[in-house]
């Protein structure tokens, strides 16, 4: 079968579509014919040699496809359309997936749309609800609102919690899209002081929860934007990870809970539980079209390098998809 | 009545015992004749002009005494022996306390012993269980094990959760005392690498929970000592609050939850709930003498400056008490 590997840690030109043996499902795993995979920042970090969580030489951590083999007890059958996270191997024609991590694809969704769901929606769900403990009608600040996780988080926070949603993004086009998805307060971080706007929007109180994909660049501003006893989930470092001269005292005096998280390195059991909880709660919304996957662009698997470059340019609204099977 | 105020932000010599009008209890408050108060680092920060939470000119946030007036509905009566947190005013002959924050003093304890309980035991209880979510037989690292909160936390973690307790302290005398209270692994931070010792004691896995009173000085070492998905409660900055350089990525890759906290700035409602929960769970242990307040030294209220200096010298094991009434 064909699959995309990294020749040598480096740029998009290091990606290569090569011939490899088909993977073999272990006990409790499904073998899936991949129709579509999605591109994630984790893939870029892996390509650059900065991650090292995955042993699979083929990139890719989420897919949508058709079950072609079931190994062991499972509620899935051959021919089922499934989507979900994989432990690497997503950018290939066939991939194995633990059966307890697979989700049935709602009838209304194509494979491309389904591939746009697992990573960003599970991450948004995990960070908003499992870690961030978002409550009904709380205020949440979602940085990079037009990103994959951002667009998922806006929809989930609005539909499940009727939250007041404040987003930051770098263009009018992105902000308008966030508003369409349900965002209430739109901040163009290139033109506005987000701290000022947030304090205005919360009567000086600050937000209950921050989903932070930015890291270092926004450290002080996030501290100023969060309420006393607020929760802050650090989930990305688009603005760098290295901080100089920080004062821990504000974390104490404001009683802030700061939780770092990544989904990829979590255990198989964690991913299975998260998938199960998410599918139970969110599938009805997906079936009714009230929550929807957001696709920016679809590339063929042969042009995977272009797909990576597109993500690195930060122009995308929503997910970047690789079409693996016509 | 007599009470201790701060003449001007500064050293212990700025403390002065002066004559002031008696405080008046508001609705739902008790007026208490103070028998003993305890010294806290918060008092030192207030004396230095670094806090500003409290509007009461009299220092002191915890006391033990006798109810002399009850204003409004309450389960307390005149003559009851009570202990608890106050919103300032503890270093005085009389103080007001919200009735829903008072705890009956177990018969077996003196006023001095009772004054040694509220702040450190409530803080230890809050950080171990409410914030730190300590579970049965987990491993907890308690820095400054011989401090007021440290000695309370060791006892609570052992009696309530049968936890494996690792402590750090700076002398053999302090470590021996921690062991007597229930600590399992003793680390002299002046002579040993605590990261190495902790990894040895946890088979390389790291601890489930850190109670960190140190802050900046231990940042990197705490990161190296905590397990993946560990909880870290930042509750003091004895080792400074300013960090020169940190890398946020470790918080993400290890999925760490870091929560800053202080008890004093929390709301009245929070303190009432915490007090209620603590009293219900821990009072039986105090009555049976299975958990006990730890007193280092008792000073008379007239020598309050010496009491502060004693705390600043970091030689104490357990609490420093001010005797207000003979």
């Amino acid at each position: 079968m064909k699959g995309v590997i990294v020749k040598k840690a480096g740029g998009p030109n290091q990606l290569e579509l090569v011939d490899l043996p088909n993977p073999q499902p272990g006990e409790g795993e499904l073998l899936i014919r991949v129709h579509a995979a999605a591109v994630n920042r984790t893939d870029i970090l892996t390509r650059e040699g900065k991650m090292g969580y995955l042993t699979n030489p083929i990139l890719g951590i989420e897919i949508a496809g058709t079950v072609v083999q079931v190994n062991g007890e499972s509620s899935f059958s051959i021919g089922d359309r499934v989507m979900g996270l994989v432990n690497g191997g997503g950018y290939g024609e066939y991939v194995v997936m633990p059966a307890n991590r697979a989700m049935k694809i709602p009838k209304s969704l194509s494979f491309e749309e389904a591939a746009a769901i697992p990573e960003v929606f599970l991450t948004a769900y995990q960070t908003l609800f499992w870690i961030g403990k978002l409550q009904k009608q709380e205020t949440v600040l979602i940085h990079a609102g037009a990103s994959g996780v951002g667009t998922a988080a806006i929809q989930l926070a609005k539909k499940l919690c009727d939250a007041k949603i404040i987003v930051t993004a770098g263009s009018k086009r992105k902000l308008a899209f966030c508003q369409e998805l349900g965002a209430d307060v739109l901040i163009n971080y290139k033109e506005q002081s987000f701290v000022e706007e947030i304090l205005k929007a919360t009567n000086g109180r600050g937000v209950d929860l921050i989903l932070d994909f930015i890291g270092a660049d926004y450290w002080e501003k996030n501290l100023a934007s969060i309420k006393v006893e607020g929760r802050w989930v650090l989930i990305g470092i688009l603005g760098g990870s290295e901080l100089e001269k920080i004062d821990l005292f504000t974390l104490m005096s404001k009683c802030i809970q700061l939780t770092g998280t990544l989904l990829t390195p979590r255990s198989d059991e964690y991913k299975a539980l998260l998938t199960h909880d998410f599918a139970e709660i969110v599938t009805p919304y997906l079936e009714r079209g009230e929550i929807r996957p957001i696709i920016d662009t679809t590339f063929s698997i042969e042009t995977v390098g272009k797909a990576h470059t597109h993500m690195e340019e930060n122009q995308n609204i929503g997910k970047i998809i690789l079409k693996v099977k016509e």
Side-chain angles (χ1 to χ4, degrees), chain A:
Chain A
M1 68 165 215
K2 300 271 186 199
V4 176
I5 60 155
V6 180
K7 282 184 287 183
K8 214 180 106 187
N13 59 332
Q14 294 300 328
L15 298 172
E16 192 171 32
L17 189 64
V18 297
D19 277 309
L20 288 158
N22 278 16
Q24 300 298 324
E27 180 63 25
E29 291 183 330
L30 309 174
L31 182 67
I32 296 166
R33 175 65 172 102
V34 178
H35 287 242
V39 178
N40 286 283
R41 289 197 186 271
T42 301
D43 305 338
I44 292 173
L45 291 173
T46 304
R47 190 198 73 208
E48 293 172 336
K50 291 178 183 165
M51 291 296 259
Y53 295 121
L54 302 172
T55 50
N56 197 317
I58 302 175
L59 286 184
I61 56 163
E62 62 180 333
I63 60 98
T66 311
V67 176
V68 293
Q69 190 183 332
V70 179
N71 195 352
E73 282 294 310
S74 160
S75 59
F76 294 97
S77 312
I78 291 174
D80 281 351
R81 297 167 79 236
V82 294
M83 59 186 178
L85 299 175
V86 292
N87 295 332
Y91 294 10
E93 289 180 312
Y94 292 89
V95 72
V96 295
M97 180 189 291
N100 61 10
R101 204 193 285 174
M103 296 181 273
K104 287 220 168 159
I105 299 177
K107 281 207 178 67
S108 54
L109 299 182
S110 70
F111 285 112
E112 285 79 18
E113 288 170 323
I117 290 175
E119 175 72 9
V120 294
F121 274 90
L122 287 171
T123 298
Y125 189 85
Q126 173 210 24
T127 50
L128 286 173
F129 306 116
W130 278 28
I131 298 174
K133 311 279 186 208
L134 186 66
Q135 305 295 310
K136 292 268 176 223
Q137 301 186 324
E138 280 194 327
T139 299
V140 56
L141 168 60
I142 301 174
H143 287 303
S147 66
V149 181
T151 53
I154 292 168
Q155 296 182 78
L156 290 171
K158 187 50 89 185
K159 297 291 180 189
L160 274 59
C161 271
D162 191 22
K164 178 169 179 176
I165 299 166
I166 305 178
V167 296
T168 65
S171 76
K172 271 190 191 163
R173 184 179 70 99
K174 287 183 174 180
L175 288 169
F177 192 79
C178 293
Q179 187 171 32
E180 204 183 293
L181 292 176
D184 300 289
V185 180
L186 313 169
I187 302 173
N188 186 330
Y189 67 81
K190 290 183 179 162
E191 297 172 356
Q192 295 168 285
S193 150
F194 81 72
V195 175
E196 231 173 77
E197 296 302 319
I198 284 162
L199 293 179
K200 224 186 284 174
T202 58
N203 295 318
R205 195 173 134 277
V207 300
D208 298 291
L209 174 63
I210 300 177
L211 291 202
D212 177 13
F213 307 95
I214 308 299
D217 282 359
Y218 282 3
W219 179 265
E220 292 295 339
K221 292 175 186 171
N222 281 327
L223 276 177
S225 303
I226 197 168
K227 73 160 188 179
V228 169
E229 300 182 27
R231 290 99 59 200
W232 173 0
V233 183
L234 176 66
I235 190 187
I237 45 173
L238 295 178
S241 68
E242 288 191 5
L243 276 167
E244 284 187 17
K245 296 221 180 298
I246 72 158
D247 192 327
L248 293 172
F249 188 68
T250 314
L251 285 180
M252 285 172 65
S253 62
K254 287 187 85 167
C255 301
I256 293 167
Q257 180 189 290
L258 170 64
T259 309
T261 182
L262 288 174
L263 186 50
T264 309
R266 299 274 185 174
S267 69
D268 285 353
E269 193 195 354
Y270 185 101
K271 286 173 186 164
L273 285 171
L274 178 63
T275 300
H276 182 81
D277 187 30
F278 168 83
E280 191 168 301
I281 302 291
V282 182
T283 301
Y285 292 88
L286 290 167
E287 281 169 351
R288 293 194 299 265
E290 290 173 17
I291 288 180
R292 61 194 170 95
I294 308 300
I295 294 178
D296 179 86
T297 319
T298 301
F299 292 84
S300 71
I301 185 86
E302 287 79 13
T303 57
V304 59
K306 282 188 187 164
H308 273 215
T309 302
H310 189 62
M311 175 165 276
E312 290 175 86
E313 285 167 350
N314 286 326
Q315 292 309 308
N316 57 306
I317 291 182
K319 296 287 290 183
I320 297 165
I321 301 296
L322 295 175
K323 197 161 186 170
V324 180
K325 183 175 186 296
E326 283 309 311

